Amino acid sequence: MAGLETSLNPAKNIDYGSTRAVSPQRGYNNEDAEIVHELENRDLARGLKQRHIQMIAIAGAIGTGLFLGLGSSIATAGPLGSLLGYLFVGSIVCAVQFSLGEVTALFPVTGSFVRQAEIFVDPALAFAIGWNVVYGAFISVPSEISAAVVLIQYWNETVNPAVWVTVLIVVSVLVAVIFIGIYGEVEFFFALLKILLVIGIIIMGLVIDLGGVPGQPRLGFHYWKTPGPFVEYIATGSWGRFLGFWAVMSNAVYSFAGVESLAMAAAETKNPRQNIPKACKRVFARLTIFYVLAILIVGMLVSSDDDRLSNESGTAAQSPFVIAASDAGIKAIPSIVNAVVLTSAWSASNQSILAGTRTLYGLALKGHAPKFFLWTTPYGIPYMCVALQVTFSFLSYMCVSNEALTVFYWFVDLTAAGVLISWITIALNHIRLMKALKKQGISPTELPWHNFWTPYGSWFALVACIIILLTGGFTVFTEGNWNPSSFVSSYLDIPLVLVVYGGYKLIRNTNFVSLEEIPIRQAIEAARNDPDNVPIKVTGWERFNILWG
């Protein structure tokens, strides 16, 4: 029972005052620094394998943005405009993922880029970004549960929505408190379902487009010619076509949202210095291929001026793939798509739970959250973090009232910019790492994982994300399109983060971490001496695995 007593009552046996890696008044203390905290190594279970973290990230990024949201992108920018928009954001995701992989291979800590911001930039930034991530993740859980209820009502509208909310909350809590390895298997299964559906609908789209359905003509690139590859948005001419392309950016960013979460549970991942960089490298490639192929097929199947693309039912009825299948006389597709989108909503909720609880645990490790959030079960689950998440889940009952649901989704939109803020932080951490390497006279080749082009990629991602963040709500500034709620939802998160950052900095009198203080040499030595840090050998049938290998 000693292990149980220690895990459930950590205050009895742990000196929390020993967390000396960061002094709130100063930057990172090189002398006392701990790369991976003692509590992470002892209380958290390394139950996630490389295939788990890859598929968790894929499960979070393949969801309503792909199955339901591509239609609105086609309607806004046209088939070529939307394709270019997703390719551009895909290049940003590539830079962000490689930056995240390099930094995490050196500092594989719970909370990922939030904890790393404390090491490379400023404890105040870690505090502000961390609580922004926690808030965004926890508020996403009731959002996804509410979306799942809407999807269920596609088949059955007679049962009170509160029943489905209760069932989904209970199941989500059960998944959140079980052993992390079982959580990984659950998300692995749902991610596999989604990948198979994506492959299936891409093949179906090609068959329909090439005239493989009896009685249906060959479409080819007909809709690229009529009504055309671009759509004029707000303005006319070349400027209007550019604005259509730029308006897709926000949709594309939020479609890829979640890819950064694969490193959140680094301390619960087996051989994280090898597995997480490998996952970062592969996840962006797979997601970009899926999204680019999907939007290419949608642009070939559905006209950008089809009124059905503006359907906002939240069910399979608004999916461009369902529209194309219905036109081709394939009747089974709507229910199949709705069922997989339902699993997408639920697995996205699980991913938000993982990101939110592990970020909160990381904040508590550094004194940015109450210490009781460090309490874990004998199986390594931070159950007090999960308990806080459960209280947010009860907001899902607002979907029982349509009016309350409208207010709630407006509230959720306030966190939308948080995705870009997280990506900006990841790029900034990597830029600071490169500068510290140069300042300390250490070659980047000594890092556990490095690519020659990433210093340029992180600058590209930083600048591109800032521009998209500042222009995400540009439509409200155009004539006749002012909308107070859209303005607030697009931009409120920016001053919120700045106020929290500035307030913490003033109260705790924190300093920016100097490049000399960043403990890179110590981290490199820790990586070299890590017995788990060995190259991953793929043998047998796994050599032919293209999904998560």
Side-chain angles (χ1 to χ4, degrees):
M1 295 295 291
L4 178 62
E5 183 180 15
T6 299
S7 295
L8 296 182
N9 299 282
K12 183 174 181 179
N13 297 305
I14 298 173
D15 177 15
Y16 290 116
S18 65
T19 308
R20 297 177 298 171
V22 177
S23 169
Q25 285 73 38
R26 302 178 61 238
Y28 208 88
N29 190 325
N30 201 357
E31 182 179 350
D32 295 332
E34 297 166 298
I35 305 306
V36 179
H37 197 278
E38 170 192 358
L39 297 182
E40 293 175 272
N41 279 326
R42 191 188 66 190
D43 292 344
L44 300 180
R46 292 192 182 273
L48 293 177
K49 300 177 182 178
Q50 192 264 146
R51 64 181 177 89
H52 290 148
I53 58 176
Q54 273 201 50
M55 298 297 262
I56 287 171
I58 290 174
I62 296 180
T64 55
L66 176 63
F67 296 121
L68 305 183
L70 292 187
S72 63
S73 296
I74 294 288
T76 300
L80 181 56
S82 54
L83 180 62
L84 293 174
Y86 274 79
L87 281 172
F88 181 73
V89 173
S91 65
I92 296 174
V93 172
C94 173
V96 168
Q97 288 295 91
F98 273 71
S99 297
L100 179 64
E102 287 193 11
V103 178
T104 302
L106 190 62
F107 293 93
V109 293
T110 301
S112 183
F113 57 90
V114 174
R115 290 266 303 281
Q116 291 157 3
E118 186 156 11
I119 298 171
F120 290 104
V121 188
D122 187 348
L125 180 64
F127 179 84
I129 298 298
W131 279 106
N132 194 57
V133 170
V134 169
Y135 163 70
F138 281 3
I139 211 69
S140 292
V141 175
S143 169
E144 295 294 348
I145 290 176
S146 299
V149 171
V150 175
L151 292 163
I152 293 173
Q153 290 178 324
Y154 177 78
W155 295 300
N156 188 329
E157 295 184 355
T158 59
V159 178
N160 192 307
V163 174
W164 302 121
V165 170
T166 303
V167 171
L168 291 168
I169 289 178
V170 170
V171 175
S172 295
V173 172
L174 288 177
V175 172
V177 298
I178 59 177
F179 178 62
I180 188 68
I182 298 177
Y183 167 87
E185 295 295 347
V186 170
E187 286 301 287
F188 178 86
F189 172 74
F190 284 120
L192 193 58
L193 273 182
K194 285 188 262 190
I195 289 174
L196 293 176
L197 177 63
V198 172
I199 294 173
I201 59 179
I202 288 174
I203 294 173
M204 177 199 73
L206 283 173
V207 171
I208 295 174
D209 183 73
L210 297 175
V213 178
Q216 297 296 317
R218 181 180 181 277
L219 294 173
F221 284 88
H222 171 73
Y223 294 125
W224 284 53
K225 299 176 182 178
T226 306
F230 292 95
V231 170
E232 295 177 348
Y233 183 68
I234 297 178
T236 58
S238 299
W239 180 239
R241 290 189 287 272
F242 172 79
L243 290 181
F245 154 76
W246 196 255
V248 169
M249 292 299 167
S250 294
N251 286 343
V253 167
Y254 306 133
S255 294
F256 282 103
V259 294
E260 70 280 357
S261 65
L262 63 82
M264 283 296 184
E268 295 168 87
T269 303
K270 296 179 179 179
N271 193 358
R273 300 183 194 275
Q274 297 284 333
N275 279 324
I276 288 180
K278 184 178 180 181
C280 289
K281 184 177 180 180
R282 284 162 171 73
V283 164
F284 106 85
R286 286 161 173 76
L287 287 177
T288 302
I289 291 172
F290 286 147
Y291 270 101
V292 168
L293 286 177
I295 204 160
L296 178 63
I297 296 298
V298 167
M300 295 163 66
L301 294 177
V302 185
S303 173
S304 59
D305 59 3
D306 193 318
D307 292 337
R308 291 173 294 178
L309 294 177
S310 301
N311 185 333
E312 297 183 355
S313 64
T315 67
Q318 76 178 85
S319 171
F321 300 106
V322 170
I323 293 172
S326 300
D327 290 345
I330 305 174
K331 298 181 180 179
I333 292 299
S335 288
I336 294 175
V337 171
N338 201 69
V340 177
V341 174
L342 174 59
T343 66
S344 299
W346 185 65
S347 66
S349 170
N350 290 340
Q351 186 216 42
S352 295
I353 292 173
L354 180 72
T357 54
R358 272 46 179 188
T359 302
L360 182 56
Y361 181 90
L363 288 171
L365 273 178
K366 295 305 176 185
H368 299 322
K371 294 299 181 184
F372 60 77
F373 285 121
L374 295 174
W375 298 358
T376 60
T377 68
Y379 305 103
I381 304 298
Y383 64 91
M384 291 303 294
C385 297
V386 174
L388 180 62
Q389 173 271 314
V390 171
T391 62
F392 278 84
S393 297
F394 293 137
L395 291 172
S396 306
Y397 287 104
M398 295 178 71
C399 73
V400 175
S401 165
N402 291 331
E403 293 77 11
L405 183 61
T406 300
V407 175
F408 178 69
Y409 278 126
W410 178 82
F411 188 54
V412 170
D413 286 342
L414 298 179
T415 65
V419 176
L420 287 166
I421 292 175
S422 294
W423 291 1
I424 289 169
T425 305
I426 292 170
L428 182 60
N429 288 341
H430 186 264
I431 290 170
R432 293 280 294 174
L433 170 62
M434 293 297 104
K435 286 182 174 293
L437 286 171
K438 185 177 180 179
K439 186 74 173 181
Q440 297 179 25
I442 302 173
S443 172
T445 58
E446 294 191 53
L447 295 175
W449 193 63
H450 177 67
N451 298 270
F452 75 92
W453 60 270
T454 49
Y456 311 102
S458 54
W459 275 108
F460 162 71
L462 178 68
V463 174
C465 286
I466 291 174
I467 293 174
I468 296 174
L469 179 64
L470 297 178
T471 60
F474 76 89
T475 55
V476 300
F477 300 111
T478 59
E479 186 176 356
N481 291 305
W482 170 254
N483 186 313
S485 62
S486 296
F487 172 79
V488 171
S489 63
S490 296
Y491 294 110
L492 183 61
D493 203 43
I494 300 174
L496 283 179
V497 171
L498 291 176
V499 167
V500 174
Y501 169 75
Y504 187 88
K505 194 169 185 63
L506 287 174
I507 294 172
R508 302 298 293 269
N509 192 29
T510 65
N511 295 325
F512 289 105
V513 180
S514 68
L515 296 176
E516 294 86 352
E517 281 187 301
I518 300 174
I520 296 178
R521 177 58 65 189
Q522 180 181 346
I524 290 175
E525 291 302 318
R528 289 173 177 171
N529 296 325
D530 184 356
D532 294 328
N533 184 22
V534 294
I536 301 169
K537 295 182 180 180
V538 180
T539 58
W541 68 271
E542 290 189 355
R543 290 177 295 175
F544 307 100
N545 176 23
I546 62 173
L547 293 181
W548 63 86

